[in-house]
């Protein structure tokens, strides 16, 4: 079975072209392939599939085998994959996901995709739909106790649930200690992605992310979008920012049409054949 390893800002996944391959038990395969010692090593598995309602369909599985509704970095990499491998000649692509159809704009240089802008849709702020077990119409600067310390979080869904915690100094946060506790907090019935963010200026944010089902990752596209939305709701930044993540930079804009747009690189690392 052929596979391709790709990353967007260091958020790495294994991609399989399911227009040619047939995959059984993708949850189990995701766990095996994602293992960084006995497999390929990745944050998860992404299947590129035919769609009846869009140009292509994405299924995305975390490293623990759980299926996620949406992934911004994986969406960008799919845009690069299908264009670079001749599955389409379009530079504007529709992608079916469990969070709805997303639209991709491809930037091409020397016949290859260099970066992709994804229309990530409208942010969901209703606690019942995120979901988070808190009353009201929004969860903004809500206190949460984690590991003996009280933080304030703002909750947003960008197709999957996020809790964004702003801190004075990101370097002082034990992400790998606080992250897993927050992910599984009783307030989150479907678990949650946790972002820790430091405001550098009205146009810059530094962020680290603990992803539901994968642990700390180098970047998270939906998390970057949720962080910008949370920053705007708290009056901390402009509506367009550069986010600095461990794996690189992402540009995010919450436009006046209430839709969030994510732009960043997409990189092919290597291709190979899975023999196990």
């Amino acid at each position: 079975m052929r596979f391709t390893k790709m990353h967007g800002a260091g958020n790495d996944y294994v991609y399989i072209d399911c227009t040619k391959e047939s995959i059984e038990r993708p949850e189990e395969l995701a766990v095996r392939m994602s293992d960084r010692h006995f497999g390929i090593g990745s944050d998860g598995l992404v299947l590129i599939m035919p769609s009846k309602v869009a140009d292509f369909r994405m299924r995305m599985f975390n490293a623990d085998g759980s299926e996620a509704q949406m992934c911004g970095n994986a969406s960008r990499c799919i845009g690069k994959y299908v264009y670079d491998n001749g599955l389409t000649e379009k530079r504007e692509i529709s992608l079916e996901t469990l969070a709805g159809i997303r639209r991709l704009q491809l930037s091409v240089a020397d016949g290859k995709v260099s970066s992709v802008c994804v229309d990530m849709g409208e942010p969901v702020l209703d606690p019942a739909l995120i979901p988070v077990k808190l009353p009201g119409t929004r969860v903004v600067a809500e206190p949460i106790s984690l590991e003996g310390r009280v933080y304030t979080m703002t909750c947003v869904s960008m197709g999957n649930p996020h809790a964004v915690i702003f801190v004075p100094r990101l370097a002082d946060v034990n992400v790998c200690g606080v992250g897993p506790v927050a992910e599984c907090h009783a307030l989150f019935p479907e678990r949650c992605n946790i972002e820790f963010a430091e405001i550098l200026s009205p146009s810059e944010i530094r962020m680290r992310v603990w992803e539901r089902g994968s642990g700390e990752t180098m970047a998270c596209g939906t998390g970057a979008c949720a962080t910008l939305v949370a920053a705007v709701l708290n009056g901390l930044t402009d509506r367009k920012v550069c986010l600095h993540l461990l794996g690189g930079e992402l540009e995010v804009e919450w436009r006046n049409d209430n839709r969030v747009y994510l732009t960043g690189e997409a990189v092919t690392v290597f291709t190979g054949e899975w023999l196990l």
Side-chain angles (χ1 to χ4, degrees):
M1 181 175 63
R2 301 292 299 176
F3 71 87
T4 299
K5 174 76 174 285
M6 305 182 76
H7 81 82
N11 194 193
D12 61 335
Y13 292 95
V14 174
Y15 294 78
I16 297 178
D17 180 0
C18 289
T19 67
K20 299 181 177 70
E21 302 278 1
S22 179
I23 304 298
E24 296 182 1
R25 299 187 297 277
E27 299 86 352
E28 296 177 16
L29 186 62
V31 173
R32 294 166 62 197
M33 282 186 151
S34 298
D35 192 293
R36 296 189 185 274
H37 298 286
F38 299 102
I40 297 165
S42 68
D43 292 328
L45 172 67
V46 177
L47 307 183
I48 304 170
M49 311 176 73
S51 172
K52 295 180 179 180
V53 296
D55 293 318
F56 298 94
R57 176 184 173 208
M58 172 177 76
R59 291 189 71 187
M60 179 264 180
F61 298 86
N62 296 311
D64 67 354
S66 60
E67 187 167 7
Q69 296 95 330
M70 175 57 188
C71 177
N73 290 320
S75 298
R76 294 203 320 280
C77 287
I78 286 178
K80 178 175 176 64
Y81 184 98
V82 297
Y83 186 91
D84 288 3
N85 287 280
L87 300 183
T88 184
E89 295 180 353
K90 295 182 179 180
R91 297 193 182 189
E92 293 188 7
I93 297 171
S94 58
L95 180 65
E96 180 188 357
T97 77
L98 289 178
I101 294 177
R102 298 293 183 257
R103 302 197 178 277
L104 287 60
Q105 290 188 328
L106 314 182
S107 296
V108 178
D110 298 324
K112 301 290 185 181
V113 171
S114 55
S115 68
V116 179
C117 177
V118 184
D119 176 353
M120 300 288 286
E122 298 185 3
V124 175
L125 304 178
D126 184 338
L129 299 178
I130 292 174
V132 52
K133 292 182 178 179
L134 285 170
T137 58
R138 293 182 177 184
V139 178
V140 177
E142 184 75 23
I144 181 172
S145 180
L146 300 167
E147 295 290 273
R149 177 178 171 182
V150 176
Y151 298 87
T152 57
M153 68 174 180
T154 297
C155 295
V156 180
S157 173
M158 290 301 309
N160 44 22
H162 293 271
V164 182
I165 296 172
F166 294 103
V167 296
R169 236 176 71 91
L170 191 55
D172 295 335
V173 179
N174 179 7
V175 173
C176 294
V178 180
V181 176
E183 174 194 352
C184 299
H185 196 283
L187 287 173
F188 307 121
E190 297 180 8
R191 297 185 294 161
C192 196
N193 299 281
I194 311 299
E195 283 75 37
F196 300 92
E198 175 186 350
I199 304 298
L200 301 178
S201 76
S203 61
E204 288 187 282
I205 302 173
R206 181 178 290 121
M207 187 190 93
R208 288 174 66 182
V209 57
W210 180 269
E211 284 203 58
R212 168 181 72 163
S214 292
E216 185 175 18
T217 58
M218 299 289 284
C220 176
T222 56
C225 295
T227 298
L228 168 63
V229 171
V232 172
L233 292 175
N234 284 277
L236 300 174
T237 68
D238 300 331
R239 296 178 73 92
K240 182 178 180 179
V241 302
C242 175
L243 280 105
H244 303 275
L245 304 104
L246 292 179
E249 296 180 351
L250 295 172
E251 181 183 287
V252 185
E253 183 177 6
W254 188 11
R255 297 181 187 171
N256 292 333
D257 61 3
N258 195 37
R259 304 181 76 83
V260 183
Y261 295 81
L262 172 71
T263 303
E265 66 175 359
V267 179
T268 299
V269 183
F270 61 85
T271 61
E273 186 174 357
W274 180 257
L275 300 175
L276 295 180

